[in-house]
Amino acid sequence: MAVEELQSIIKRCQILEEQDFKEEDFGLFQLAGQRCIDEGHIEQLLEIIQNEKNRVIIKNMGWNLVGSVVRCLLWNKEDEKRKYYLLMLDLLVKLCNPKELLLGLLELIEEPSGKQISQIILLLLQPLQTVIQKLHNNKAYSVGLALSTLWSQLSLLPVPYSKEQIQTDEYGLCQCCKALIEFTKPFVEEVINDKENSVESENEKLKDELLKFCFKSLKCPLLTAQFFEQSKEAGDDPLRCFASEIIGFLSAIGHPFPKMIFNHGRKKKTWDYLEFEEEEDKQLADSMASLAYLVFVQGISIDQLPMVLSPSYLLQFNMGHIEVFLQRTEESIFSKGVDLLENGLLRIEDNSLLHHYLEIKSFLTVPQGLVKVMTLCPIETLRKKSLAMLQLYINKLDSQGKYTLFRCLLNTSNHSGVEAFIIQNIKNQIDVSLKKTQNNKWFTGPQLISLLDLVLFLPEGAETDLLQNSDRIMASLNLLRYLVIKDNEKDNQTGLWTELGKIENNFLKPLHTGLNMSKAHYEAEIKNSQENSQVVQKSKDLCSVTVGGEEIPNMPPEMQLKVLHSALFTFDLIESVLARVEELIEIKTKSTPEENIGIK
């Protein structure tokens, strides 16, 4: 019945001119064709499509059947009639109006979600490529529209993270990336081959569309993609192969990556098109950072870089990209910033990175970004690596650079552990300076005193939360202890003895008062907790304790007592070091120059 109905519609249309086809003819053809497919009359439908007499009708109306054929191919993967569906799709692609077919195929690609996204893309990439190659007018627009649609759908797929996920490729992203490269190659080759022969404006437009696609791909999936280690396995890494091809496309269409990455961020840009210049800054920044990582860390096409570039220049150029990575919260992305920083720092000798570089914004924001990773990242290995990179960064700076960075981080980190780390580094630099025959002005005398003003004080005086700031306080006391031992009052190389009165008033005396207050408070809380625990043991309930105006989360009484005793132990430790510092000060101020006090 469905076949007869379709033949009737075709017979009526055969006597009409192409321009006389009506909208209702298209609708009736589509409904009848759909019924033929639903009822399984595939071979009869194929005969109708292949009939030379129906060529004009199929050219104008056949594209309406593509959706039904594609859905059958997706739903009936084991169907014995699958070969007929594939043949029908192939015929429709060859015979139908390419402009209508292009829009129809892109609509089909936009429809699915989840795992079906990759299935339909893999099915339709070849037909889509064939259709676009048949279009001679506005080909650049068609290529751009297709690549944008494909990229938008692929960006919805989760990027595999581990080696196992990449090999399993559950959502088909890796397969799609490989197929997308094959889809794009003919258009890249067209740009290369037609540089002299084609209409220049159309060729440039096609280049522009390909350039946009490459940069979108650098952002997704390559910004978050993880790669196998550079070994024999690297060749089997589909995402690495995709990255290599994308970078190759850039060079092939006249945009080699050295030219792009070295000009990115300059006031005077070198892109060929204003339209691309007006791309979203963030998207372009993410793409450029991804490109820098692929080249410098993964080593893709790194042989294209000029060999004359100095390590400090490469670091300067990469710092902006590292900053972009570290601003992100996704572990798979900001970890690349840490790796890129390591790559740049390892090329530089210790103490050779000039302080002038810190006038560039990213040279201060990058270490601040490392601090955020160190303090907020839930993954221990990344926290430790960020700490190691911050230390490596400090080691590369010259003395004035170290001094400037220390001041910056002491003012901005707002984290006791980080401040303790910086104070320990200050102590190390003072030690190096005192051992040299010629003192380093940045870690002795007036410059050092200015730095010590940020270290030897309590932010809120005696009211400072000593427990929360215990790491910083202990590091400050140890630094002061070291200074008292190493610098004699007569020599006063560090300027400590001149400023001793200020240090006592701003640091030591408030610390004494704060310790007395804190210990009294916690001892009272321990007494209350012990009394409450007797009541709680009878009811077997949890209890709560308020410390410093904040309530400790509900926990068993014995656990709360452990927490409170631990706090008291910290106060006792601080108090013992404080007592030793004051003892040393007293000895030094009363001793003769011949007396020698050793570090204990």
Side-chain angles (χ1 to χ4, degrees):
M1 182 67 181
V3 176
E4 288 79 5
E5 184 180 345
L6 180 59
Q7 287 175 332
S8 174
I9 296 167
I10 287 175
K11 189 174 181 180
R12 182 163 55 83
C13 291
Q14 281 176 341
I15 61 174
L16 298 176
E17 293 295 330
E18 187 175 345
Q19 63 271 18
D20 293 330
F21 292 155
K22 298 179 180 177
E23 189 174 337
E24 78 175 286
D25 295 327
F26 285 85
L28 291 171
F29 178 89
Q30 183 178 4
L31 287 172
Q34 174 70 57
R35 285 184 60 195
C36 287
I37 293 171
D38 292 343
E39 294 176 13
H41 305 302
I42 307 303
E43 294 178 49
Q44 294 94 320
L45 185 56
L46 270 172
E47 289 178 9
I48 292 172
I49 293 173
Q50 290 172 313
N51 191 327
E52 188 66 27
K53 294 179 180 179
N54 301 329
R55 180 174 290 272
V56 175
I57 297 170
I58 299 303
K59 176 189 173 184
N60 287 276
M61 303 185 187
W63 65 271
N64 282 307
L65 300 178
V66 171
S68 301
V69 175
V70 168
R71 292 182 188 96
C72 286
L73 285 167
L74 290 175
W75 296 337
N76 305 303
K77 294 180 182 178
E78 305 301 327
D79 196 313
E80 60 181 13
K81 294 183 179 180
R82 183 175 177 80
K83 62 179 180 181
Y84 297 114
Y85 292 130
L86 289 170
L87 177 57
M88 188 179 299
L89 178 60
D90 187 50
L91 284 169
L92 291 172
V93 168
K94 289 179 180 177
L95 298 174
C96 293
N97 183 323
K99 184 177 179 182
E100 299 292 347
L101 203 50
L102 172 66
L103 298 176
L105 290 174
L106 293 180
E107 284 179 8
L108 288 169
I109 288 171
E110 286 179 316
E111 282 181 7
S113 59
K115 294 179 182 179
Q116 283 194 338
I117 291 176
S118 60
Q119 294 172 9
I120 199 163
I121 286 177
L122 292 170
L123 177 63
L124 295 184
L125 270 181
Q126 183 59 56
L128 187 61
Q129 185 188 71
T130 302
V131 168
I132 293 175
Q133 287 176 323
K134 290 169 65 177
L135 290 166
H136 300 293
N137 295 326
N138 296 322
K139 179 179 278 190
Y141 172 79
S142 301
V143 170
L145 183 62
L147 289 173
S148 178
T149 302
L150 290 164
W151 181 85
S152 295
Q153 284 297 94
L154 285 180
S155 66
L156 300 175
L157 295 178
V159 179
Y161 182 77
S162 66
K163 181 178 177 181
E164 292 72 25
Q165 288 176 348
I166 291 172
Q167 291 172 336
T168 304
D169 197 19
E170 182 180 357
Y171 285 84
L173 177 66
C174 296
Q175 293 179 68
C176 286
C177 287
K178 183 178 180 181
L180 196 53
I181 291 297
E182 295 304 315
F183 171 84
T184 311
K185 276 182 179 178
F187 307 115
V188 174
E189 290 168 1
E190 188 172 326
V191 167
I192 299 169
N193 297 331
D194 289 356
K195 283 181 180 177
E196 297 179 0
N197 303 325
S198 71
V199 179
E200 184 177 346
S201 61
E202 183 64 20
N203 194 44
E204 292 297 334
K205 288 177 183 177
L206 183 55
K207 279 176 60 177
D208 201 27
E209 295 298 341
L210 292 169
L211 184 63
K212 290 178 183 179
F213 164 70
C214 288
F215 271 85
K216 285 182 177 181
S217 298
L218 286 168
K219 180 176 180 180
C220 180
L222 294 175
L223 186 67
T224 55
Q226 303 298 298
F227 302 95
F228 296 168
E229 292 183 10
Q230 294 185 46
S231 64
K232 293 179 180 178
E233 292 183 335
D236 298 324
D237 184 345
L239 293 175
R240 182 183 177 84
C241 292
F242 181 68
S244 182
E245 293 284 359
I246 290 295
I247 293 175
F249 285 170
L250 287 171
S251 295
I253 62 176
H255 293 279
F257 76 85
K259 167 188 170 184
M260 291 186 295
I261 53 181
F262 288 127
N263 284 293
H264 174 62
R266 291 187 178 180
K267 290 181 180 179
K268 186 178 180 181
K269 303 289 186 73
T270 59
W271 301 109
D272 293 335
Y273 293 104
L274 178 63
E275 182 184 357
F276 191 75
E277 278 300 316
E278 294 172 350
E279 284 280 303
E280 231 179 285
D281 286 345
K282 188 176 185 307
Q283 176 174 306
L284 186 56
D286 286 344
S287 300
M288 295 304 301
S290 179
L291 180 59
Y293 171 83
L294 291 169
V295 172
F296 289 98
V297 178
Q298 292 299 321
I300 298 175
S301 299
I302 196 167
D303 55 331
Q304 294 182 30
L305 279 177
M307 299 296 290
V308 297
L309 300 174
S310 70
S312 57
Y313 177 81
L314 290 176
L315 180 65
Q316 176 186 348
F317 139 73
N318 270 328
M319 273 304 224
H321 304 314
I322 296 166
E323 182 182 16
V324 170
F325 280 124
L326 293 180
Q327 286 172 346
R328 299 291 289 264
T329 56
E330 306 95 321
E331 176 268 330
S332 61
I333 298 180
F334 68 67
S335 64
K336 291 185 177 181
V338 179
D339 291 340
L340 186 56
L341 177 62
E342 180 181 31
N343 180 276
L345 291 176
L346 289 176
R347 303 169 189 264
I348 296 175
E349 293 183 8
D350 286 356
N351 306 306
S352 67
L353 191 61
L354 300 178
H355 61 274
H356 303 296
Y357 283 103
L358 293 177
E359 296 174 7
I360 302 170
K361 175 175 168 283
S362 58
F363 276 78
L364 287 176
T365 55
V366 163
Q368 289 173 318
L370 288 175
V371 167
K372 289 182 180 178
V373 178
M374 288 159 49
T375 55
L376 300 176
C377 178
I379 301 170
E380 183 181 7
T381 53
L382 272 176
R383 292 199 303 272
K384 287 183 175 179
K385 183 162 186 179
S386 297
L387 176 62
M389 286 308 101
L390 181 56
Q391 184 63 65
L392 187 62
Y393 184 55
I394 291 169
N395 295 346
K396 302 303 176 183
L397 290 166
D398 64 12
S399 294
Q400 186 175 346
K402 289 181 174 72
Y403 180 90
T404 304
L405 181 62
F406 293 158
R407 291 190 69 92
C408 171
L409 293 182
L410 284 172
N411 282 318
T412 60
S413 67
N414 297 316
H415 187 280
S416 179
V418 175
E419 291 164 355
F421 169 78
I422 297 302
I423 292 168
Q424 177 60 41
N425 268 277
I426 293 172
K427 175 178 171 292
N428 294 342
Q429 292 307 309
I430 296 171
D431 187 61
V432 170
S433 180
L434 292 178
K435 288 176 180 177
K436 289 182 178 178
T437 53
Q438 185 175 3
N439 285 343
N440 180 344
K441 73 171 187 175
W442 295 101
F443 292 97
T444 56
Q447 298 290 355
L448 176 60
I449 292 302
S450 175
L451 190 59
L452 291 180
D453 286 342
L454 299 175
V455 174
L456 302 177
F457 86 107
L458 294 179
E460 298 172 29
E463 301 294 327
T464 300
D465 186 334
L466 302 187
L467 193 60
Q468 185 174 342
N469 288 276
S470 59
D471 288 340
R472 174 200 170 102
I473 292 168
M474 285 296 293
S476 300
L477 285 171
N478 280 324
L479 172 59
L480 182 55
R481 174 174 171 267
Y482 166 85
L483 292 173
V484 172
I485 292 171
K486 284 291 184 181
D487 192 16
N488 293 316
E489 187 174 6
K490 180 181 178 182
D491 299 330
N492 197 25
Q493 290 176 279
T494 62
L496 167 73
W497 300 101
T498 307
E499 301 296 318
L500 190 58
K502 183 171 71 173
I503 292 170
E504 287 178 339
N505 289 329
N506 292 346
F507 185 53
L508 300 180
K509 288 180 181 178
L511 184 55
H512 261 300
T513 305
L515 281 169
N516 292 334
M517 292 167 56
S518 297
K519 289 178 70 175
H521 177 71
Y522 275 79
E523 285 168 354
E525 288 294 344
I526 288 173
K527 184 177 180 181
N528 291 336
S529 181
Q530 288 171 334
E531 292 172 354
N532 292 337
S533 66
Q534 296 175 1
V535 178
V536 171
Q537 282 176 357
K538 296 178 183 179
S539 62
K540 295 184 179 180
D541 288 336
L542 300 178
C543 65
S544 62
V545 174
T546 300
V547 176
E550 295 187 9
E551 190 175 284
I552 296 177
N554 286 338
M555 61 178 71
E558 60 272 15
M559 184 62 72
Q560 287 197 343
L561 280 171
K562 283 184 180 180
V563 171
L564 295 170
H565 279 296
S566 176
L568 271 184
F569 176 78
T570 300
F571 297 143
D572 289 340
L573 192 61
I574 293 173
E575 193 170 43
S576 67
V577 179
L578 174 59
R580 178 59 178 157
V581 168
E582 292 179 327
E583 179 186 354
L584 288 168
I585 291 173
E586 185 177 356
I587 292 171
K588 274 297 188 88
T589 52
K590 293 180 180 179
S591 65
T592 61
E594 289 75 24
E595 290 183 78
N596 181 30
I597 307 297
I599 297 178
K600 296 185 180 179

